[in-house]
Amino acid sequence: MVTVRVEDRDAVRIVTIDRPAVRNAVDGPTAQQLYDLFVDFDGDDDVSVAVLTGAGGTFCAGADLKAISDGRGNSVLDVEPGEIVGSLGPMGPTRLQLSKPVIAAVEGHAVAGGLELACWADLRVAARDATFGVYCRRWGVPLVDGGTVRLPRLIGQSRAADLILTGRGVDGSEAERIGLVNRVIGGAEFHDAALDFARDLATRPPSALALTKRLLYGLDGADFAEGIARGAEVNAIARSTEACREGVRRFLDKS
């Protein structure tokens, strides 16, 4: 089943998670589709910028915990630290380091693994009433797909600790104030404005964008790999605890 839609507009590729019935929660097959699509995007000379968004007014509610029971759960493969960059992450593309920029266009909820997807993007634009949060913390499930590495780098250690430890949500305006979001767009023009942002970025020479990304991210590749590997270790430990299993049960009962 295809659960991710792709559309090219000029040099911009729009990637839309299309599972609105589950608030675009990502199961294993969807994670694989996202991974494959972004690998393809990075090697496609006809497009320069990608926009990652969600269908039905929601960005992504995280991993689809219900999918675990019927064999569609997200990959939690253990990978050696030296091999983790570029491998399939639990949410799909989150271990990729692309040469081209990705913009996360966030409406509705970007929570738990959805927040990690938004943090993986290079830039974030959000509707004013969007919600960002480490909601998995409420159920005893840790961030395991780069969130504990990327979020402190985006907003600072203290603010990241606030969001990660409390599990509270922040709207688009607060997200912009703390540096999580680059631009907040109000009203019905959200999609057009996000696309215009991407189109403007696509006018820059692709080689210059790629070199700039290498300068931004390339110098800390080893630290990134180590951080992601530690996240995988924490995931394995957390999944073995009764508190985590009970939290998942409470989440599934509630939903």
Side-chain angles (χ1 to χ4, degrees):
M1 174 183 282
V2 176
T3 54
V4 183
R5 292 188 281 109
V6 177
E7 179 185 1
D8 288 351
R9 297 195 188 180
D10 302 318
V12 177
R13 177 158 295 172
I14 303 171
V15 178
T16 304
I17 305 170
D18 192 12
R19 304 186 75 218
V22 291
R23 295 193 303 162
N24 299 321
V26 172
D27 60 2
T30 303
Q32 185 69 62
Q33 289 177 48
L34 286 168
Y35 176 87
D36 292 341
L37 286 167
F38 277 105
V39 169
D40 179 71
F41 157 72
D42 209 40
D44 190 336
D45 293 336
D46 292 329
V47 285
S48 301
V49 179
V51 174
L52 175 60
T53 191
T58 295
F59 182 72
C60 175
D64 186 351
L65 298 181
K66 291 183 179 179
I68 297 173
S69 62
D70 60 11
R72 294 180 295 107
N74 303 58
S75 172
V76 289
L77 295 176
D78 293 327
V79 181
E80 292 298 320
E83 300 174 355
I84 201 161
V85 175
S87 65
L88 174 68
M91 294 298 294
T94 38
R95 295 174 180 174
L96 292 172
Q97 292 184 312
L98 305 182
S99 64
K100 300 175 183 178
V102 178
I103 299 171
V106 179
E107 289 183 288
H109 285 76
V111 296
L115 174 63
E116 292 184 295
L117 276 176
C119 289
W120 168 73
D122 301 286
L123 299 163
R124 285 148 296 280
V125 298
R128 196 166 301 281
D129 59 354
T131 300
F132 299 82
V134 188
Y135 280 14
C136 51
R137 171 59 61 202
R138 302 177 181 182
W139 311 103
V141 178
L143 289 175
V144 297
D145 205 12
T148 54
V149 178
R150 294 186 174 104
L151 191 59
R153 293 180 181 182
L154 290 172
I155 65 175
Q157 188 76 20
S158 179
R159 285 182 170 131
D162 176 9
L163 298 189
I164 292 171
L165 297 178
T166 67
R168 74 181 183 91
V170 298
D171 63 15
S173 296
E174 183 174 356
E176 182 183 36
R177 180 176 61 79
I178 65 177
L180 179 55
V181 165
N182 300 93
R183 301 183 185 182
V184 170
I185 302 166
E189 70 276 10
F190 173 79
H191 290 285
D192 289 339
L195 182 58
D196 286 344
F197 185 19
R199 282 174 168 156
D200 179 63
L201 194 59
T203 63
R204 283 27 174 202
S207 59
L209 286 175
L211 288 171
T212 299
K213 284 201 64 174
R214 287 178 61 185
L215 289 171
L216 280 170
Y217 306 120
L219 298 179
D220 58 2
D223 291 340
F224 171 78
E226 183 180 355
I228 297 296
R230 286 180 179 174
E233 292 174 1
V234 169
N235 181 30
I237 295 170
R239 285 186 292 114
S240 69
T241 65
E242 179 57 33
C244 184
R245 290 193 290 266
E246 174 61 25
V248 172
R249 285 194 293 267
R250 287 190 291 111
F251 172 82
L252 295 178
D253 290 344
K254 179 178 182 293
S255 59

